[in-house]
Each structure stands twice: as C-alpha cells, then as structure tokens.
Amino acid sequence: MKNRLSDNKYKMIAFINIVVVITVWYLLSEVFQVFRNGMLPGPNVILETFISKLNSKSPDGNTLLVHIVSSLTVVITGYIIGVVIGLPTGIFMAWYRPIDYLVRPVFDFLRCIPGLAWIPVITVWLGIDLKAKAAIIFVNVFVGTVVNVYSGIKQTDQVKIWVAQIFGASHFEILKRVALPSALPYIFTGLKVSLGMAWLGIIAAELLAAQSGLGYMIQVARNFGRADLVIVGMLTIGLIGAFLTYLLEKVEHIFVKGRN
Amino acid sequence: MSSILKINNINKIFINNNGSDKAVLQNVNFEVEENEFIVVFGPGQCGKTTLLNIIAGLEKQSSGQVFIKDKLVEKAGPDRAVVFQNIQLFPWLTALKNVEYSMKIRGFSKEEYHSEAMKYLELVGLKGFENSYPIKLSGGMKQRVGIARAYCTKPDVMLMDEPFGALDAQTRYLMQDEVLRICNTEKRTIVFITNNIEEALYLADRIVVMSDCPSTVKEVVKIDLTHPRDRTDSEFLRLRKEISAMVNRKR
Amino acid sequence: MALKIRNEGVRKFFWGFLSIFLVFVLWYFASQLDHMKNLLPNPINVIKFIGISVIAPIGKTTLFGHLYWSMTRVMTGYILASIVGIILGFFCGWSKLGSALIKPIYSVLRSIPSIAWIPLAILWFGIGENSKYFIIFISTMLIIMTNVIDGVKDVDESYLDVARMLGTKENQLFLHIVLPCAVPQIFNGLQVALGAAWATVIAAEMVRSSKGVGWLILMGQTSMNMTQVFAGIIVIGLVGLTLALIMRWLESKLCAWNIRGK
Ligand SMILES: Nc1ncnc2c1ncn2[C@@H]1O[C@H](COP(=O)(O)OP(=O)(O)OP(=O)(O)O)[C@@H](O)[C@H]1O
Ligand SMILES: [Mg+2]
C-alpha cells in the first residue's frame, strides 16, 4: 500500500520532470534564443518539421515516409539474408568439430572488425545501390549471428547430451532435440543484437553514399544546416529501431517463453 | 537465571499469490537463557526458517513480539547473527574479509577486527584459506566461514538455520562436533534449527519441538545427557523415539 | 578425422595457424583471377603495405600516426563517458528519484544508434575533434549507463538483508554491497562500450575527417586503392582484438571472485 503510494509519487515526479525539461528547452531555444542560429530548435519546431516533412520533399527530394520505407527495405532484405545464412553457419561451426577448429580462428578475428569497416570494400565491389546496401547489412548481421548462435550451442549442458546419447540419439538428433532448443534464448539475444547492428549499419551506409533513406536525409539536412530536420530524423530512427526490437521480442515470446 | 531471548505469542500468516491466507506459525512461545544451546526441531516446511527470520528481524510477524535482553526486536541487527540455511557469504569478499565485515562496518579498529577474524577463522579450522574467495571453497568450508562470521559479529544470540542441512552425513557429524568444540571455547547463546532429530539430541541443552504447519510449540524438552553424547546410547535412543512421537501426535 | 593433439594450447595454435594460413592462400589465389584485378588486392602486397606505412606516411601521417589519432578520439570520449555513465547509472538505478529524473530522457536517447549522432555532432561542434569526442561520448555513455542500471537492479535483495543483519546502516549499503555486487555487470558494459567506441570512431572518421584509420580506408576507396583498404581493415581488426584482450585480462584481475578459477 505504502509502496504503491510512493510509486505514484515518483511517477508524478517523472511526469513533472518531462514537462519541465520540455518547457525549459522551449524557453531556451525559442524565447531566449540562447543557441546560435538554431542549433537546437525548440520542441514546437521539431514537431512542425516532423509534420511538414510528411509531405514536403525538400531539401533531400523525398518525403519522410519514402525515406523510412527505403531504409526498412534494405535493412529487412540484408537482415533476413544474414540470418538465413548465419544461423546454419553458426550451428555447423559449433556442432561439427573439424569445422569448429578450422573456421573459428577466422571468426575470432572477423568479429573484431566492426561491420562498418567493410563499407569501402562493398562500395567498390557493388556500388551504392540497394544490392550494395543490403550487402553491408548482411556483413553486419552475418558475423554477429554466427558468433551468438555458436556460443549458444556451445553452452549446451553436457549432461543433457550424455543422456540423449544413452537413449541412442544420433549426433544430428541430439543437435535437433537437445542443443538447438537449449540454445534458443542465446540465439534470440544474438538476433536482437544483430538487428541493432543492421539498423546502425544502414544509417552508416546511407550517411556515406545514398540517394534516399533516413541516414541520407539527416546527412543532407546537415549540409543545409537544418538541425530541426536532423533531430526529426534521429528521433524517427530511434523510434523505428525500438519498434523493430519490440517486434522481435514478440516473436521471441512466442518461440521461447510460449513453450513453458 | 535471566532469559536473554523471549518469543512471545508469535503468529505468522502469509498471503499467497492467489490471495488465500496460509497460517504458518500459531502462538509460538518460548524463552532462551543466556549461554544456552536451544535446538528448534520440527518437520520440513513447518515454518522454522520463518520463525528464525522473525527473530532475526528479517521478516515481520503478523502478531506477537520478540524481545532480546528485554528490548523489542524491530529490525535486523548485529545482536542476532544468523548462519543461513543457504550460507549467503558475500562472493566478492575473501573468507577473511567476510568474517571481518561486521566489525569493520561498525567501526572497530583494523588491528581489532583483523585479529578477531583470524582467531575465529582458526577456530573453525580454516587457517590458510583467508584469501580464498567463496567460489573456490567447498560447501562445508563455506558453512564454516558463515559460522566464523556469525561469531565475529559478537552477537547476543546466534541463530543457525539448518546450517548443516546441505552437507553429506560424514561432514555433518564432523561439523556437529566442531560446533560443540567452538561452543566450549567461546560460550554463546545459540538457537539452532534442524529437522533432524539425531542432530537435535546430539547438540541441545533443550529442544523446542514444533508441530506440523501451522506450527505451535508442542513441548520443550530438557536434555540432560553429558557431552560427548553417544548416538547409540539407550537413553539417547529413548529420547529420540519419544520426541519423534511428539511431532506426530494429534494436538 | 581431427588430429589428436593433447595439449590445448598447442592444439589451438596449430588450428589457428592452419586456418589463417588457408584463408591467406585462398585469398591469394582469388586475387590472381583476372576479373578480380582491381577488386581484391594481393595479400602479400597488403602485408607489405602495412609494413611500409609504419614509416612512410599516407596522407598526413604514418600508420601509427593514424592509429594514434583514432585512439585519442576513442579514449577521450570513452573515459569521459565511463565516469559520467557510471555515476548517472548508479543514480538512476539506486535512487527512485534519480530514476524519475533521468529515465525519461535516457530512454529516448538510448534508442538512437550511435552513428545517427554524427550529423548533429558536426552541426553542433564543427568538423574538428570535438564532434568526434562527442559522438564517442554520447554513444558509449548510454551503453555504460544501461549496464550499471541493470547491475544495480540485479543486486540480490538477500545480500542487503544479510548486510543489515551484520550491522550495515542504510546509508552504507550502497558502498559496501551494491557497488561491489554490480562490478561484473559494469565491467561487461565497459567492455561492450569500448568495442562500440572503436566501431563508432571508424564510422565518424569515414564521414568527415582528414586522419585516422577510418579516413585511411575511405581514402583507399576513393582512390580505388584496394590494398590500402584491406590493410586498413586488418589493422582495425588487430586493434579491436587487442582492446578486447586487454579488457578480458583486466576482468580476470578485477572480477576474480566472479570467475570459476582452476
Ligand atoms: N514469502 C512467503 N510467502 C508465502 N508463503 C511462504 C513464504 N515463505 C514461506 N512460505 C511458506 O511457509 C511455510 C514454511 O516455510 P519455511 O521456509 O519457514 O519452512 P521450514 O520449516 O524452514 O522448511 P525447511 O525445513 O524446508 O527449511 C512453507 O509452506 C512455505 O511455502
Ligand atoms: Mg528452512
């Protein structure tokens, strides 16, 4: 009872806090104009920019929605290909010893290279179209997925494997019935991390070379000195990223938690 | 003789998740005298840990009072040191630092708490393991550290909750003798909880026999056997039978 | 079929060597194919390039010079972020008031990927060093904060009870129980953040810079010098590996109580 009361108190504080922050922000940037030439536009300006950008094509040639769709298409394509190839690679690496010994050292090194460092290579190889962007996402997702699936399967309880062996399960059956199910939570963690990496990757790729997409939009906005549009872009990026993670968590819920 | 710990009409009712009540303790009364070794004996799940937690001040009773040296117990404090069923050492501190912790946090000087902690570590037979982290110690060794830690708190009463429950039979016998030896060196008031009648008889000056849930005190039995006790002695076996019967008897 | 080699260390070394060697050979033959001419550099040239650029400058400075610039950017932002992130994280995780004050803003900033800060940072701080410090700072600070908050949240309630039983006062609980208890999780945060800082600085240098290893590979791309690109990538990987190893070593020293030893 008492706890509930104090919880409400802190909810109030949080709420008042948000109101105060937005008000102070508004006063500082719009009324007193403390930031030189609109470096931090007020919350009202951000909102206006957001609404107008839904229809307006300036300065980057496309409306907000087109940018969003463009970024999402690339991310989802690259992500799915990365996961579809990365999952089995990780599984085989973890489960078949010769592959493990041979491929693991390479991956130990590859995971130390940030996915973004491959952008120049891919740009030279594939140009800057959708295929190239998807390839950048693919590299980002692939390595992350492999590493996480691999360590998930490696964590399988040895006792469970022995039990399965005693019951005469074949190597492949043990993988299917014991190792994979118990690795599922790790796999989903990996999928979530990779999704974050993919979303980060597309923004980076679009900052460097693109004609559309949210990363391109904020890059152009910067060139025009439009801080308001940059911030709108950042918030949109953040929001979509959070939404994608949320979707994946729903899927995880069905697969992992729904069983028990 | 004055009683140092007074348990006065304790009741405890848990509210289950589904909203139903569960009475665990019902009018529990008993007193403990200074330097006495009291064993609270009761069947599993009857509420022994709950009782001990209430005495320790870690759990709130539904009604009734606990007095220590005629002072009402309201919250946990170093006058009642607990040796927990599941040990609960601080994993980030070495054995020595775990034992030192209480005196250190209460502002004793470094020489003081260090020499005291070393003394108790030696007393529980852990000389040479001062600098080991709990993760590297075996179950029995951890429990010894727990006991040394409780001693080093310099409590008025030591509360021990099935401290040897998780140990194998051999180690368990060994630890029982250890506790008696330590008690001989350093007199302390001890409330010791167990669901093992043999252990109760081997250690106790008096046994508080609890009933099944909701628990009440069935009887308090004085054990006059001299130490060291023989587990196959006829009087020992007779008492064992008698007390076992008490628990099962209808109220 | 796997060779039976008893000694773990020797085995790892053997397979590691074999595996890297195979990649190298494959890479070499691939680079000799005709239509790969301008796409995949000869690995031997890449190694030579790394060797030469230790003394001969590329652009404004040598390889070490570029590494020095990148590391300075990373470390400045990262160290600042560690201090601020740990303090804010504890405030937010331990005090309800702190949580009410910081959580709302934190949640918004947290969802924005580090790279998306680059344009705003350039607008605010120009194209010089400050914008890079800022990008590293903001992105790593949020990672560290998240881990500190989780670390504090995960402190086992029963440790607090035991501490009270042993005579700890409420205002001592934080320093003596919560802080040490959260150390492994904080360390995990510091580790992840350092990796992220390294990735972020590469991106920031690719977007706008005139030195640093990120600039190095982007320059390689613009001048179609694939040898330089691959040399840069290998160096980036080596530095990433070194940073990870250092952090793991530190962890084994600082969080010894949390790791099952031999
Ligand atoms: N927080 C709680 N909420 C609801 N019920 C509880 C709670 N704690 C304990 N109980 C119930 O109270 C009863 C007594 O628990 P307690 O742990 O005190 O028994 P115990 O005698 O110490 O058992 P054991 O011999 O296993 O140590 C149990 O049935 C338990 O389910
Ligand atoms: Mg119990």
Side-chain angles (χ1 to χ4, degrees):
Chain A
M1 201 54 202
K2 198 181 149 208
N3 235 336
R4 179 97 40 89
L5 221 86
S6 75
D7 274 0
N8 277 338
K9 185 179 110 192
Y10 286 110
K11 272 195 197 126
M12 274 310 289
I13 295 181
F15 178 73
I16 295 170
N17 177 35
I18 297 171
V19 174
V20 169
V21 167
I22 292 180
T23 317
V24 171
W25 173 14
Y26 173 75
L27 288 176
L28 286 182
S29 43
E30 295 305 316
V31 181
F32 301 114
Q33 313 242 336
V34 287
F35 303 110
R36 65 198 156 86
N37 41 31
M39 282 304 184
L40 183 60
N44 53 328
V45 179
I46 305 282
L47 197 65
E48 278 161 28
T49 307
F50 175 75
I51 293 168
S52 73
K53 187 63 191 162
L54 289 175
N55 289 313
S56 149
K57 290 187 171 176
S58 75
D60 42 62
N62 277 312
T63 60
L64 185 61
L65 224 55
V66 174
H67 287 305
I68 293 177
V69 171
S70 160
S71 294
L72 273 179
T73 318
V74 182
V75 165
I76 291 171
T77 317
Y79 182 72
I80 290 178
I81 301 176
V83 168
V84 165
I85 300 182
L87 269 175
T89 313
I91 293 171
F92 285 116
M93 237 176 89
W95 203 242
Y96 295 98
R97 193 157 283 165
I99 305 184
D100 182 9
Y101 284 167
L102 206 55
V103 182
R104 189 166 158 197
V106 179
F107 266 87
D108 275 343
F109 185 68
L110 279 184
R111 66 191 289 194
C112 293
I113 303 172
L116 308 177
W118 294 105
I119 293 180
V121 177
I122 290 167
T123 312
V124 170
W125 285 357
L126 299 173
I128 60 165
D129 57 357
L130 185 137
K131 195 174 53 182
K133 294 279 172 325
I136 291 168
I137 307 303
F138 168 79
V139 173
N140 264 296
V141 171
F142 176 70
V143 178
T145 308
V146 169
V147 168
N148 275 289
V149 172
Y150 174 87
S151 37
I153 294 203
K154 281 278 167 188
Q155 307 247 7
T156 314
D157 190 357
Q158 190 61 44
V159 177
K160 283 192 196 150
I161 296 180
W162 285 332
V163 171
Q165 275 170 346
I166 290 167
F167 283 109
S170 71
H171 198 55
F172 181 70
E173 268 176 331
I174 298 178
L175 171 66
K176 205 172 78 183
R177 301 201 181 207
V178 181
L180 269 182
S182 74
L184 218 49
Y186 296 94
I187 294 178
F188 268 100
T189 309
L191 291 183
K192 270 188 275 183
V193 175
S194 305
L195 186 62
M197 292 302 297
W199 193 230
L200 185 112
I202 186 64
I203 305 302
E206 289 168 351
L207 280 182
L208 285 169
Q211 274 98 42
S212 64
L214 289 165
Y216 172 71
M217 184 185 98
I218 57 176
Q219 181 73 335
V220 173
R222 171 183 75 76
N223 283 335
F224 282 82
R226 291 273 310 272
D228 56 336
L229 194 53
V230 172
I231 293 174
V232 166
M234 287 169 68
L235 291 176
T236 313
I237 291 166
L239 214 64
I240 294 176
F243 179 69
L244 290 176
T245 314
Y246 170 81
L247 279 187
L248 197 54
E249 265 163 13
K250 281 279 163 237
V251 177
E252 177 182 20
H253 203 75
I254 296 166
F255 270 87
V256 182
K257 284 145 199 165
R259 299 148 150 275
N260 14 334
Chain B
M1 263 221 264
S2 65
S3 64
I4 187 164
L5 178 68
K6 223 182 273 178
I7 317 292
N8 193 6
N9 259 324
I10 293 285
N11 282 284
K12 176 73 190 180
I13 299 166
F14 280 116
I15 316 271
N16 283 332
N17 290 337
N18 55 19
S20 65
D21 292 356
K22 181 180 168 114
V24 176
L25 298 173
Q26 211 165 51
N27 291 337
V28 175
N29 282 294
F30 64 90
E31 297 190 0
V32 181
E33 252 130 56
E34 182 132 29
N35 291 339
E36 199 180 19
F37 201 125
I38 285 269
V39 174
V40 176
F41 167 68
Q45 291 297 303
C46 76
K48 300 181 299 294
T49 299
T50 309
L51 175 64
L52 187 115
N53 283 344
I54 289 172
I55 300 175
L58 296 171
E59 186 118 49
K60 266 259 154 282
Q61 63 270 37
S62 305
S63 70
Q65 302 88 29
V66 177
F67 294 98
I68 183 145
K69 285 184 161 171
D70 295 324
K71 235 179 67 222
L72 186 67
V73 164
E74 297 196 82
K75 55 180 207 266
D79 52 344
R80 285 148 289 137
V82 185
V83 179
F84 292 91
Q85 192 165 5
N86 50 356
I87 310 178
Q88 300 279 20
L89 297 178
F90 295 136
W92 59 89
L93 297 179
T94 60
L96 178 68
K97 294 234 168 79
N98 261 289
V99 180
E100 283 176 344
Y101 180 87
S102 180
M103 285 181 78
K104 184 172 170 183
I105 198 99
R106 286 185 288 151
F108 286 85
S109 75
K110 178 157 179 146
E111 295 87 64
E112 226 171 334
Y113 65 69
H114 184 75
S115 69
E116 283 296 291
M118 287 303 279
K119 183 180 102 189
Y120 287 116
L121 266 181
E122 198 174 338
L123 192 64
V124 298
L126 277 185
K127 205 165 185 235
F129 290 94
E130 299 90 359
N131 296 323
S132 305
Y133 284 102
I135 204 162
K136 303 232 171 113
L137 298 175
S138 73
M141 286 156 99
K142 275 190 255 189
Q143 202 50 275
R144 285 165 198 255
V145 178
I147 292 170
R149 176 172 75 176
Y151 261 99
C152 205
T153 311
K154 310 271 179 176
D156 295 326
V157 181
M158 299 231 315
L159 306 170
M160 304 173 97
D161 185 6
E162 296 189 44
F164 312 140
L167 304 181
D168 62 276
Q170 207 57 47
T171 321
R172 194 166 180 155
Y173 286 147
L174 197 83
M175 291 299 290
Q176 289 168 5
D177 285 328
E178 288 281 282
V179 160
L180 287 177
R181 178 177 64 74
I182 296 165
C183 275
N184 259 335
T185 334
E186 284 246 353
K187 269 288 172 201
R188 278 297 152 79
T189 314
I190 295 179
V191 177
F192 187 106
I193 282 178
T194 184
N195 59 10
N196 180 318
I197 179 64
E198 196 179 82
E199 183 166 77
L201 277 168
Y202 193 73
L203 299 171
D205 294 333
R206 284 193 302 154
I207 300 181
V208 175
V209 185
M210 308 279 289
S211 72
D212 231 334
C213 206
S215 290
T216 52
V217 177
K218 278 269 170 183
E219 211 154 319
V220 179
V221 186
K222 192 160 174 59
I223 310 294
D224 274 328
L225 304 172
T226 52
H227 287 287
R229 291 173 183 169
D230 178 358
R231 291 186 181 85
T232 54
D233 175 67
S234 65
E235 179 63 10
F236 191 98
L237 294 173
R238 192 189 62 74
L239 278 166
R240 178 175 175 157
K241 216 174 194 166
E242 189 185 313
I243 294 172
S244 305
M246 258 177 224
V247 176
N248 299 322
R249 199 175 58 206
K250 286 253 150 39
R251 53 192 73 184
Chain C
M1 102 133 223
L3 291 180
K4 283 228 160 59
I5 300 175
R6 287 279 153 70
N7 187 311
E8 184 80 3
V10 175
R11 199 204 74 197
K12 264 195 180 154
F13 182 80
F14 173 78
W15 284 100
F17 186 80
L18 185 67
S19 141
I20 302 279
F21 180 74
L22 276 180
V23 169
F24 204 80
V25 169
L26 278 179
W27 178 6
Y28 177 81
F29 283 112
S31 71
Q32 296 306 302
L33 299 175
D34 255 358
H35 57 276
M36 282 296 203
K37 219 151 224 148
N38 295 317
L39 300 181
L40 196 64
N42 184 331
I44 298 170
N45 291 344
V46 171
I47 306 267
K48 268 193 208 147
F49 186 93
I50 295 177
I52 292 168
S53 58
V54 170
I55 11 178
I58 319 159
K60 288 185 178 161
T61 166
T62 63
L63 184 61
F64 280 125
H66 288 293
L67 269 181
Y68 168 80
W69 276 103
S70 298
M71 281 321 279
T72 315
R73 289 162 179 163
V74 165
M75 284 305 158
T76 313
Y78 176 73
I79 290 170
L80 265 174
S82 306
I83 298 168
V84 178
I86 290 175
I87 293 173
L88 285 183
F90 274 124
F91 187 44
C92 196
W94 181 239
S95 132
K96 278 192 174 171
L97 179 68
S99 168
L101 290 180
I102 302 174
K103 260 285 173 56
I105 303 170
Y106 159 82
S107 315
V108 174
L109 297 187
R110 169 97 195 104
S111 63
I112 299 171
S114 56
I115 308 293
W117 285 97
I118 295 177
L120 193 64
I122 296 176
L123 266 186
W124 280 356
F125 300 99
I127 56 170
E129 294 305 302
N130 287 344
S131 63
K132 289 173 188 78
Y133 298 155
F134 174 77
I135 295 162
I136 306 283
F137 171 79
I138 193 87
S139 54
T140 50
M141 187 196 71
L142 291 166
I143 296 175
I144 294 167
M145 251 183 97
T146 309
N147 278 274
V148 177
I149 292 173
D150 288 350
V152 174
K153 284 270 146 68
D154 287 349
V155 171
D156 196 335
E157 194 70 37
S158 66
Y159 286 138
L160 300 179
D161 277 343
V162 176
R164 290 192 189 103
M165 180 272 282
L166 292 171
T168 318
K169 301 205 177 57
E170 291 302 310
N171 60 5
Q172 291 173 313
L173 282 178
F174 179 75
L175 200 62
H176 288 92
I177 308 297
V178 177
L179 193 68
C181 223
V183 164
Q185 179 79 48
I186 295 174
F187 216 85
N188 182 45
L190 290 177
Q191 227 161 330
V192 175
L194 188 57
W198 185 232
T200 309
V201 83
I202 306 291
E205 286 169 350
M206 285 200 286
V207 173
R208 204 70 200 262
S209 179
S210 57
K211 45 195 177 304
V213 273
W215 171 86
L216 199 72
I217 54 175
L218 196 82
M219 230 22 238
Q221 177 209 315
T222 5
S223 59
M224 285 298 282
N225 183 351
M226 289 307 267
T227 310
Q228 180 172 330
V229 175
F230 273 82
I233 289 178
I234 287 180
V235 170
I236 288 169
L238 286 176
V239 172
L241 184 67
T242 314
L243 292 178
L245 288 178
I246 291 174
M247 289 306 271
R248 211 176 298 168
W249 177 80
L250 267 178
E251 184 181 19
S252 73
K253 292 284 150 207
L254 290 175
C255 308
W257 58 269
N258 199 30
I259 297 164
R260 275 196 184 278
K262 288 130 219 168

